[in-house]
Amino acid sequence: ASLAAGGKETTGALRARLEAGEALEVAGYALAPALAAALAGARLEPPAPGTRVDWLELVPEPGRGLLPASAKAVEVWRTGGVAVRAGTVAGDAFWTAQEIVEAPALIAASLEALEAA
């Protein structure tokens, strides 16, 4: 089954189709029910206390903060003893583009984090 361009199917309806064993076509790729279930159950677990983490989040414009879910995870990790340095960098959402899109600010921030380590 596939989602027609401009189709207005709810998230609940899509989940019901997956739970019924139907694969969905998403952006030209088949999403198998087992993969969808595994992704839905995935959780980002904190690393061991004392671990250093550089959390870089790509945002569409300069000055935007972390997404609320990211900010919450960072706070939980810090409370658990993880040394988190969190920040945002402006750039295009390269993972959603059909063509190659670069994120030079993300590359620079990643290199800076590696050099600081």
Side-chain angles (χ1 to χ4, degrees):
S2 68
L3 301 177
K8 298 288 183 185
E9 197 163 7
T10 66
T11 302
L14 294 171
R15 285 189 179 144
R17 289 172 55 189
L18 287 164
E19 288 169 5
E22 182 180 348
L24 301 179
E25 185 180 317
V26 179
Y29 296 93
L31 176 61
L35 177 59
L39 290 171
R43 299 291 176 260
L44 183 60
E45 297 295 331
T51 302
R52 178 174 178 247
V53 173
D54 287 284
W55 186 297
L56 300 173
E57 193 158 286
L58 199 60
V59 295
E61 57 202 32
R64 281 189 129 168
L66 294 174
L67 291 170
S70 299
K72 181 179 178 182
V74 166
E75 184 57 35
V76 167
W77 287 18
R78 285 178 176 156
T79 301
V82 178
V84 182
R85 188 178 84 167
T88 62
V89 292
D92 294 324
F94 57 85
W95 58 91
T96 64
Q98 298 267 339
E99 66 285 341
I100 295 173
V101 175
E102 294 184 4
L106 180 59
I107 293 168
S110 298
L111 290 172
E112 181 184 311
L114 290 170
E115 289 170 354

